[in-house]
Amino acid sequence: MKIKLLHEIDIVRQLGFDLNKLFYKHSASGITIREYSISIVNRLLELSEDCIESLERGRMITASMTARGLLETAGTFIDFIDKMIRARNANDKEKFRNTLRKHFFASREFETELGIKSPHVADGIRFLDKHMPEASDIYNVLCEAVHPNWAGTGGLIMHNSRDSPIFMRSYFAICRSYDSLAATDKVSRSSFIGPLRPDMLLGW
């Protein structure tokens, strides 16, 4: 299983390399989109690598936390890509730039200054369902492990057995969360990177 997970990590690492090679000529927003995309890739890499380390150390709670972070990051980024493409196709420059600001400065701290509501991770997870089967179900299992309820306390702490149903369920969800890396790569390459030119990131 570790080999499969490492393969998924390599996919998104290559995406980061390819993003670094992209140009953003004649695009005022291109550099911001490019840097934001690269930061998302780096976040996915850190989460996915730390998740494997937690699994190897038998730390199912922290593994579930990082796996949940993978889904949230991938979902909100894929949602971001979709909104940017729609705005570009509709020739709506204001929506295009507002979407970029909304995601780049995603925080309640900036909502008043920007006058734009930050994206919610739940929306990202629902959007991820379109590109990764059962993403919401997997996310719910991981949330159960992360929250201090039965799964996150008694299920995984008091009964920390690899043969227990709660352990197996959480382990399966953690491994499935890595499917979000391939989904991120596929959506990025098919609709976001180079829709006009293969060497240019979408911008305006």
Side-chain angles (χ1 to χ4, degrees):
M1 180 58 72
K2 181 179 178 180
I3 294 175
K4 178 184 181 300
L5 301 186
L6 290 174
H7 173 69
E8 299 295 337
I9 292 175
D10 285 340
I11 289 175
V12 79
R13 180 176 287 113
Q14 185 60 50
L15 175 62
F17 291 150
D18 292 342
L19 282 169
N20 268 306
K21 298 175 185 176
L22 293 176
F23 296 97
Y24 39 87
K25 191 175 181 180
H26 307 308
S27 171
S29 58
I31 186 171
T32 307
I33 296 170
R34 176 177 174 269
E35 295 309 310
Y36 173 66
S37 301
I38 291 172
S39 70
I40 288 291
V41 168
N42 289 335
R43 175 181 167 86
L44 289 171
L45 286 172
E46 182 174 323
L47 287 167
S48 57
E49 290 170 352
D50 286 357
C51 185
I52 290 179
E53 182 178 341
S54 294
L55 280 176
E56 291 179 334
R57 296 177 64 188
R59 296 182 176 273
M60 290 297 290
I61 304 277
T62 51
S64 297
M65 287 180 177
T66 50
R68 187 176 74 163
L70 282 178
L71 295 179
E72 293 172 344
T73 304
T76 53
F77 185 55
I78 290 174
D79 185 28
F80 165 74
I81 292 173
D82 180 75
K83 286 182 170 61
M84 295 294 276
I85 291 292
R86 288 175 184 271
R88 180 67 188 241
N89 291 343
N91 200 32
D92 190 337
K93 290 188 178 183
E94 183 178 0
K95 187 172 183 180
F96 186 92
R97 290 167 180 159
N98 282 342
T99 299
L100 179 57
R101 286 197 296 267
K102 178 178 178 180
H103 281 261
F104 193 82
F105 297 103
S107 172
R108 291 180 180 176
E109 295 180 32
F110 302 125
E111 286 183 356
T112 302
E113 289 80 357
L114 295 175
I116 303 172
K117 189 174 182 180
S118 297
H120 198 284
V121 293
D123 295 330
I125 296 299
R126 283 191 291 270
F127 198 84
L128 184 59
D129 271 321
K130 300 177 182 179
H131 303 275
M132 175 185 163
E134 302 175 340
S136 290
D137 293 335
I138 295 166
Y139 184 72
N140 289 335
V141 171
L142 294 172
C143 286
E144 284 295 307
V146 171
H147 296 160
N149 52 22
W150 159 244
T153 54
L156 290 173
I157 300 299
M158 294 172 62
H159 305 285
N160 190 11
S161 169
R162 291 183 178 271
D163 298 325
S164 69
I166 190 66
F167 182 95
M168 295 301 296
R169 185 182 74 168
S170 299
Y171 182 81
F172 176 75
I174 290 168
C175 292
R176 280 295 312 278
S177 72
Y178 279 72
D179 292 346
S180 65
L181 301 181
T184 300
D185 179 73
K186 182 178 180 181
V187 173
S188 297
R189 294 184 186 281
S190 65
S191 59
F192 195 38
I193 297 175
L196 304 178
R197 286 178 49 189
D199 63 342
M200 187 174 291
L201 188 72
L202 172 70
W204 211 321

